[in-house]
Amino acid sequence: MAEGSAELELFRRCWREELAGDAKRRRREAAEQPPAGPAAEPGSRCSAEQPEPGYLALARGLLHGGAPPGPARRSASPARPAEEPAGDGGGDGDDLLGQLIRDLNEINEVPFFDVQLPYELALKIFQYLGKTELGRCAQVSRTWKALAEDEVLWYRLCQQEGYLLDTSISDHACWKLALRNCRARERTLKTNWKNRIGAVSQLRYELGKILCDVHSCDGVVIAGYTSGEVRLWDTRTWDYTAPILEAVHGPGDAGPRPHVSFVRINSSLAVAAYEDGTISIWNLMFGREPIHHYQHNQRIQALALGSEGAVVATASGFEVKVESPDDRGFWQTTATFDIQKLVSFLNLVPDVVGSPVTIAAAEDIVYLLKAEDPGKVLHSVYGQPVTCLDVSAHEAAFGVKNFGWLLNEPNQILLYNLETSQCLKKMGNSIGDFTCVNLQNSPPNMLVTGNKDRRVRVFDLRKSESLCSLYAHQLGVSAVQMDDWKIVSGGEEGLVCVWDQRMGTKLWEMHARHPVRHIWFNSHSLITANIPDEKSLPGTSITDDDLTVHHKYRGIIYAYEFSADQLAVESVLPICRSSYDEVTGYNYNIGLAVPYDNI
């Protein structure tokens, strides 16, 4: 303690000497300097001492151990003050007074009224504030403004709201502006959705004859036809001339190819099941030739593809087979399960670590199929068949049908926990059969269903209550999906309806000839598929190659785009281009080669 006091006293003595020398030097320079204005009157005090600068008053107060005056105290705020002019000092840059001023300028503490915090700690506190609170804090002072507009805070806010998740903090110079642009784009998309402002295109393949099945993932659409062909479209780039996936042909396959029964696609794989029990698997990065195929002895009844990764499950007869590649990339049969009844619905549980888990619904029994527990029954009630099925990472939801002899047991949606195999909720109590359910793509704790009683119902899984019931379709609901504010439903009569979920009102609708069997949408696009139930054209045979039969019997795929980026003038619509891959002499589907407004 004595050493510290001695050093402080020595510092103060040296500093007083410098201040005294500096004051004498300034008085001498002021006396030698000629007056710039008119001559002063005799006896005037124009040559008197100039007022002492503020930093000298602060320094003298510190030397004498007392508190500086009010203005000096405010000027010594730890918020990076502006430097004093260097002309008053007159000494070299290494004197103690210059060192003090530089130290004051380098202080990086943020004043929180009577408490001084380091910048990093203040930033840690500010990260718990939202956009509105940060805007208010930015109006307190310059220091708080710099802190409230720190890029780390706005980058974290942007990530928390779900924008630009695949970017790093160095990708944008101003994350506050990036968040503002993202929110403005979201408002524009919502307005376009509500007012049906956008572009719509028809995805057709005339050579494929009749549409059999459609599936999509992140804007990539796969379709199977009665001609045995499988085709892809990538709607993300408006490139609708994607390749045809070739099937495996044997040496004796000279006749017509079998129809496509099911198609599935994820981010890396495409799978198709054919009427003769053949399964073909393509890698979307390697080309048109399949990387793996295998055969069932009977017709395929259900097909499932994992949402991520490479796992394929198929059901044929009383057998469920799961295929996946090993560590070296060679495909093999991971598991085979023998069950008692014919499978009608098949799903793979997403985000499973280890061996895949399959949920299979066979009439009135729901199986939980694992390699370590192959015959586990999740649900079984005699006489109550399962009418629809969907699974998420931890739960399975399915509809059950009551034939009427138990009046206190109407048709319901059951929710099961996959880890405990316990029934969590029973919802619905409807007279009609539940025809579709969407759990995986719904918001958290939400579930949307479609019913034969023409209604779309949204359930809150926390209360087992119906939040809204929408009278939607005359012949029953066939497909449905929802997000946090809208619902898109499709019916057996071919009508696609878009609803405002909170208001319970219909925004708009589109109609086609055949039942809606597939619906998928994200923030800026919508894909729907109208698939005919009849797989043969009226008035023609199955082997007839007449392509001039009206395409209204063939089924259709619609791609809607609501993004403002895709609606620019330079975007070339499908009507304005032709792939010219049709057969010779057939011009039924010829499109324009250049935009029609430039002709």
Side-chain angles (χ1 to χ4, degrees):
M1 186 70 181
E3 294 180 359
S5 301
E7 292 179 358
L8 179 60
E9 197 61 34
L10 178 61
F11 175 76
R12 286 182 173 178
R13 185 168 62 254
C14 295
W15 201 359
R16 288 193 189 98
E17 293 175 358
E18 282 196 12
L19 289 176
D22 181 67
K24 292 179 180 179
R25 183 166 52 255
R26 290 192 302 106
R27 285 195 298 269
R28 183 170 58 255
E29 291 176 355
E32 295 175 355
Q33 184 177 2
E41 297 180 2
S44 66
R45 301 180 58 88
C46 65
S47 60
E49 270 187 30
Q50 299 293 330
E52 189 176 47
Y55 70 88
L56 289 179
L58 171 63
R60 293 187 187 282
L62 293 175
L63 287 175
H64 293 291
R73 181 186 301 271
R74 286 193 298 270
S75 65
S77 171
R80 299 183 178 90
E83 295 194 13
E84 295 287 343
D88 289 340
D92 56 1
D94 294 332
D95 57 11
L96 294 175
L97 182 58
Q99 183 65 36
L100 173 63
I101 295 175
R102 286 193 295 271
D103 291 343
L104 290 177
N105 288 333
E106 292 175 0
I107 290 177
N108 61 350
E109 294 179 345
V110 179
F112 278 75
F113 303 105
D114 295 334
V115 181
Q116 294 179 350
L117 296 177
Y119 188 85
E120 292 76 10
L121 184 56
L123 193 66
K124 186 72 174 178
I125 296 175
F126 271 51
Q127 75 176 7
Y128 295 101
L129 302 180
K131 300 182 296 297
T132 305
E133 290 80 6
L134 288 177
R136 293 170 180 171
C137 290
Q139 303 176 19
V140 174
S141 64
R142 293 182 179 179
T143 304
W144 279 41
K145 177 179 174 61
L147 185 64
E149 294 183 354
D150 193 283
E151 297 300 324
V152 175
L153 298 177
W154 291 97
Y155 171 74
R156 183 179 288 111
L157 282 175
C158 199
Q159 297 282 306
Q160 288 176 354
E161 295 194 14
Y163 303 123
L164 306 175
L165 297 178
D166 55 347
T167 58
S168 62
I169 193 172
S170 60
D171 291 342
H172 289 272
C174 181
W175 278 99
K176 183 178 181 180
L177 179 60
L179 179 59
R180 184 185 297 119
N181 294 337
C182 289
R183 292 180 64 87
R185 181 175 181 270
E186 184 180 19
R187 288 193 297 268
T188 301
L189 286 174
K190 192 171 183 179
T191 302
N192 292 347
W193 267 96
K194 288 185 175 181
N195 298 281
R196 198 169 62 179
I197 300 174
V200 57
S201 300
Q202 299 179 6
L203 310 185
R204 294 183 182 273
Y205 180 56
E206 301 293 340
L207 298 179
K209 297 185 180 179
I210 300 178
L211 188 63
C212 292
D213 194 25
V214 175
H215 195 248
S216 60
C217 176
D218 295 335
V220 181
V221 184
I222 183 173
Y225 295 87
T226 55
S227 64
E229 294 179 299
V230 179
R231 177 135 190 195
L232 290 176
W233 290 273
D234 190 352
T235 64
R236 299 170 299 183
T237 60
W238 287 76
D239 182 11
Y240 297 160
T241 58
I244 301 171
L245 301 180
E246 302 290 343
V248 177
H249 300 288
D253 298 341
R257 288 179 288 181
H259 296 181
V260 178
S261 301
F262 303 99
V263 290
R264 295 292 183 269
I265 191 172
N266 62 15
S267 58
S268 59
L269 295 179
V271 184
Y274 297 87
E275 289 285 338
D276 61 351
T278 303
I279 306 294
S280 295
I281 303 174
W282 296 269
N283 190 309
L284 300 180
M285 302 297 294
F286 290 164
R288 303 184 178 186
E289 297 296 329
I291 60 173
H292 178 62
H293 71 279
Y294 60 97
Q295 181 78 35
H296 278 281
N297 296 327
Q298 301 181 36
R299 180 179 177 272
I300 305 296
Q301 296 160 347
L303 170 66
L305 174 64
S307 58
E308 295 293 337
V311 181
V312 178
T314 53
S316 176
F318 300 99
E319 180 185 58
V320 175
K321 183 181 293 187
V322 180
E323 299 268 333
S324 63
D326 58 12
D327 298 336
R328 297 177 298 173
F330 296 103
W331 283 78
Q332 60 182 1
T333 301
T334 304
T336 302
F337 306 97
D338 294 326
I339 56 180
Q340 302 174 1
K341 299 182 179 181
L342 298 178
V343 174
S344 52
F345 302 99
L346 191 66
N347 287 80
L348 284 165
V349 180
D351 304 328
V352 173
V353 179
S355 59
V357 180
T358 307
I359 306 297
E363 298 183 9
D364 54 6
I365 304 176
V366 179
Y367 293 92
L368 179 63
L369 304 177
K370 300 180 182 179
E372 58 271 13
D373 192 4
K376 187 173 184 179
V377 176
L378 186 66
H379 169 82
S380 177
V381 176
Y382 180 76
Q384 295 187 2
V386 176
T387 57
C388 56
L389 171 69
D390 194 24
V391 299
S392 63
H394 305 287
E395 297 168 333
F398 48 89
V400 294
K401 177 181 179 180
N402 181 20
F403 282 104
W405 55 77
L406 295 176
L407 298 180
N408 58 343
E409 288 289 338
N411 301 326
Q412 293 179 325
I413 292 289
L414 305 183
L415 183 69
Y416 272 78
N417 187 295
L418 298 180
E419 297 178 358
T420 62
S421 300
Q422 298 295 321
C423 181
L424 301 177
K425 304 289 182 181
K426 292 184 178 181
M427 301 164 288
N429 298 329
S430 171
I431 300 176
D433 301 341
F434 286 97
T435 54
C436 54
V437 58
N438 197 315
L439 173 65
Q440 184 175 358
N441 298 322
S442 298
N445 300 315
M446 303 286 283
L447 175 72
V448 60
T449 64
N451 199 290
K452 279 187 176 181
D453 63 0
R454 311 173 185 178
R455 291 190 175 272
V456 174
R457 293 178 175 86
V458 178
F459 293 97
D460 188 344
L461 301 182
R462 295 164 294 188
K463 302 178 181 179
S464 301
E465 297 178 356
S466 176
L467 297 180
C468 65
S469 178
L470 308 174
Y471 187 85
H473 303 276
Q474 294 291 332
L475 301 181
V477 185
S478 56
V480 68
Q481 184 181 339
M482 70 172 294
D483 61 7
D484 55 349
W485 71 272
K486 64 178 176 291
I487 303 171
V488 181
S489 62
E492 294 286 343
E493 75 284 355
L495 194 66
V496 174
C497 300
V498 179
W499 307 81
D500 190 318
Q501 182 251 324
R502 296 173 183 173
M503 299 294 295
T505 57
K506 184 188 296 185
L507 299 175
W508 51 273
E509 63 183 28
M510 291 287 287
H511 183 266
R513 184 181 182 89
H514 303 288
V516 181
R517 300 300 183 194
H518 175 73
I519 286 178
W520 176 90
F521 68 84
N522 58 12
S523 61
H524 60 84
S525 60
L526 167 66
I527 295 172
T528 64
N530 297 79
I531 303 175
D533 293 330
E534 182 64 37
K535 302 306 180 185
S536 60
L537 296 174
T540 61
S541 64
I542 297 179
T543 59
D544 194 357
D545 293 331
D546 184 13
L547 299 177
T548 62
V549 177
H550 201 282
H551 55 72
K552 68 180 180 180
Y553 301 108
R554 301 176 181 270
I556 191 170
I557 306 171
Y558 285 103
Y560 302 83
E561 180 59 54
F562 303 97
S563 174
D565 298 336
Q566 296 288 343
L567 300 180
V569 178
E570 59 269 14
S571 297
V572 181
L573 299 178
I575 193 176
C576 304
R577 61 175 177 266
S578 174
S579 60
Y580 297 102
D581 57 356
E582 313 291 351
V583 295
T584 305
Y586 171 62
N587 59 0
Y588 183 79
N589 197 32
I590 287 293
L592 299 177
V594 295
Y596 53 86
D597 53 354
N598 294 336
I599 297 179

